[in-house]
Amino acid sequence: MHDMSVKWPGGARCAVMLTFDFDAETLWTSRDPANANRPGVLSQGRYGAEVGVPKILDTLEEADVKGTFFVPGWTVENHTDKVEAILKGGHEVGHHSYSHVWVSDDPEKEVEEFERGMEALKTCVGVVPKGFRSPAGEVSAGLFRLLRKHGLLYDSSLMNHINPYRHTAEDGSPGVIELPWHWSLDDAPHALFSVKSPRPIFPNSHMLELFKDEFREIYRWGGLYDIIFHPQITGRPGRIAMLRELIAFIRTFPDVWITTGAEVADHWAALEAEGQA
């Protein structure tokens, strides 16, 4: 038997991270700089800030659960009040670059994006993040050096496991903790439409079937369920209903730990220290 179960707190069978990539307009400007002059395109991102985030916060509060919001520095600067509301709700705010551009092949730009994002979090909302998620899962060796240099605890960018694990740095020393995700647990492939990159917009039943099937088996394995939502997608009225239904479904399973990325990573670090990871 290949036992992949993790010793979660309080005898929990499974850990759940409800994560929200609060990209706002950067989702569109990072894909095509010309979108900065396309108010119609940008309005999808603005919806995520103006309507999506408040409604998501209401939904999490009603369910009495905490989420993790990964926020680009540009979003922190331009939608500061919404990030403050996230923090006021007791949720975690993580680092998600500065402008959401993919820079893994440009070391200088990568440093600039990382450090500007850190600075925006600190200056605007007083946050020193514990966790980082790269835009679109694009990473490099340089990124992991930056994570260590700036003292971050964890990364949530890779897809090579269902459980946390510790990276090994280039010099052989322990690196950051990885909290893996996967595209199948992401709302974007199923519902992020634009005229220039048209995709089918799937009904909730399609997305819930994927999300629930993945949860059932990760629960059976005893692993980490790290799901990604975007406020401009899951903040739509019908998708808020989906989020509410998914949380209720997860709650029908006994011994589930719904928590933040920082708490999962802290627990994993404690397990390592006890020799149980």
Side-chain angles (χ1 to χ4, degrees):
M1 292 287 289
H2 298 92
D3 184 11
M4 292 189 181
S5 61
V6 174
K7 190 176 179 182
W8 298 115
R13 174 78 196 155
C14 171
V16 170
M17 285 167 58
L18 302 171
T19 76
F20 302 87
D21 289 4
F22 180 18
D23 305 324
E25 292 95 325
T26 69
L27 189 148
W28 302 102
T29 53
S30 62
R31 287 167 176 239
D32 181 356
N35 281 338
N37 300 311
R38 294 173 178 141
V41 174
L42 295 183
S43 67
Q44 293 194 72
R46 196 165 293 122
Y47 176 93
E50 294 177 359
V51 180
V53 166
K55 284 298 182 183
I56 286 167
L57 291 175
D58 289 349
T59 305
L60 297 178
E61 184 178 7
E62 287 163 14
D64 192 25
V65 293
K66 297 300 181 229
T68 301
F69 289 74
F70 292 99
V71 191
W74 186 95
T75 302
V76 178
E77 291 173 352
N78 288 274
H79 299 290
T80 311
D81 60 328
K82 299 305 186 294
V83 183
E84 288 171 341
I86 290 166
L87 292 166
K88 189 177 178 184
H91 307 288
E92 178 187 1
V93 169
H95 186 1
H96 195 42
S97 81
Y98 178 76
S99 65
H100 204 263
V101 295
W102 306 352
V103 291
S104 57
D105 56 352
D106 184 343
E108 285 184 20
K109 184 71 172 172
E110 185 169 55
V111 171
E112 180 194 340
E113 277 282 312
F114 192 94
E115 294 186 346
R116 278 188 82 186
M118 290 285 288
E119 183 62 26
L121 284 166
K122 188 76 171 69
T123 303
C124 297
V125 291
V127 167
V128 178
K130 282 192 164 187
F132 177 85
R133 174 173 286 155
S134 67
E138 289 296 318
V139 299
S140 71
L143 170 66
F144 290 100
R145 286 193 291 270
L146 283 166
L147 291 170
R148 289 187 80 197
K149 177 183 175 182
H150 291 277
L152 276 78
L153 174 65
Y154 75 88
D155 176 63
S156 185
S157 305
L158 302 184
M159 300 182 252
N160 54 331
H161 214 292
I162 62 149
N163 287 334
Y165 65 89
R166 174 77 67 176
H167 283 280
T168 302
E170 291 164 311
D171 61 5
S173 62
V176 296
I177 293 167
E178 185 68 35
L179 305 180
W181 70 292
H182 190 263
W183 287 112
S184 57
L185 288 176
D186 185 331
D187 59 3
H190 314 295
L192 181 66
F193 178 90
S194 73
V195 172
K196 289 209 165 195
S197 54
R199 289 174 175 152
I201 297 179
F202 287 102
N204 287 351
S205 56
H206 168 103
M207 294 166 72
L208 279 167
E209 186 176 349
L210 280 162
F211 297 164
K212 289 178 177 181
D213 285 351
E214 197 83 347
F215 176 77
R216 284 189 195 94
E217 195 63 15
I218 290 176
Y219 179 86
R220 177 183 166 92
W221 293 8
L224 170 65
Y225 184 81
D226 180 4
I227 188 165
I228 300 177
F229 302 102
H230 296 76
Q232 59 190 284
I233 301 171
T234 294
R236 294 297 308 173
R239 306 297 186 195
I240 287 288
M242 178 188 74
L243 176 62
R244 191 185 307 122
E245 183 178 340
L246 181 65
I247 294 170
F249 169 79
I250 289 169
R251 281 259 169 84
T252 66
F253 290 72
D255 304 321
V256 175
W257 185 38
I258 304 177
T259 189
T260 62
E263 290 193 346
V264 171
D266 279 335
H267 177 68
W268 187 260
L271 288 179
E272 284 182 329
E274 297 164 8
Q276 298 184 51

